[in-house]
Amino acid sequence: MKSSSDSSFSFFCVILFLDKLLFENKITFERKSSNVTTESIKVIENIAKILNENPAFKLEIAGHTDSRGKDSLNKQISQDRALSVANILISKGVDKQRVSAVGYGEEFPIAQDDENGLSEINRRVEFNILGE
């Protein structure tokens, strides 16, 4: 029987593994597309392995863009990219009830865009553990 401290430790470990993996390997997409690059598919497969080894955790895949372009288009692109990642996780055995995909568009930048509205760091996918 798992104690609450085991659960807390497991939660902490999952977050550390995901953070380390994503720090070293940003998930990227083909240009002007929601298709995940070959390199990033390998990263997502590793994330699926972590999730499959820890089946109690639920995950939000959050898509983000820079501020270039129309808000509505950025929202749709970020949603499509988050869904692409979710679909790969599901295809690798992660229960679809544990995965949600949300496109936030340009709502939550982590860096200032340049004068053209471009910031590569803002074009990202994040994984948010929603709990057990």
Side-chain angles (χ1 to χ4, degrees):
M1 182 173 170
K2 280 189 171 183
S3 70
S4 64
S5 64
D6 288 342
S7 179
S8 297
F9 179 75
S10 180
F11 181 79
F12 182 69
C13 287
V14 168
I15 290 172
L16 281 178
F17 282 130
L18 289 176
D19 284 350
K20 182 179 185 306
L21 190 60
L22 292 170
F23 179 76
E24 295 171 351
N25 307 281
K26 180 179 178 183
I27 293 179
T28 57
F29 299 86
E30 294 176 16
R31 184 161 167 69
K32 296 183 179 184
S33 166
S34 61
N35 296 326
V36 177
T37 61
T38 302
E39 299 82 22
S40 291
I41 288 174
K42 295 173 188 170
V43 175
I44 298 168
E45 288 172 346
N46 285 329
I47 292 168
K49 182 178 178 188
I50 292 166
L51 292 172
N52 286 328
E53 290 171 356
N54 297 276
F57 297 106
K58 294 182 180 180
L59 184 73
E60 175 191 77
I61 299 137
H64 301 274
T65 65
D66 57 26
S67 63
R68 186 169 191 190
K70 291 185 176 183
D71 291 352
S72 60
L73 180 60
N74 284 339
K75 192 93 138 176
Q76 187 62 53
I77 289 168
S78 63
Q79 179 67 37
D80 292 347
R81 288 180 171 183
L83 278 171
S84 289
V85 172
N87 288 333
I88 294 169
L89 289 172
I90 293 164
S91 77
K92 299 300 175 187
V94 177
D95 183 345
K96 67 181 177 181
Q97 300 301 319
R98 296 176 53 211
V99 178
S100 63
V102 180
Y104 290 104
E106 59 194 71
E107 289 179 48
F108 300 105
I110 55 175
Q112 186 171 352
D113 291 343
D114 69 15
E115 64 277 356
N116 296 316
L118 297 172
S119 174
E120 182 178 339
I121 197 168
N122 286 331
R123 296 187 303 267
R124 67 197 189 279
V125 174
E126 296 177 334
F127 294 83
N128 301 316
I129 302 290
L130 301 177
E132 296 183 76

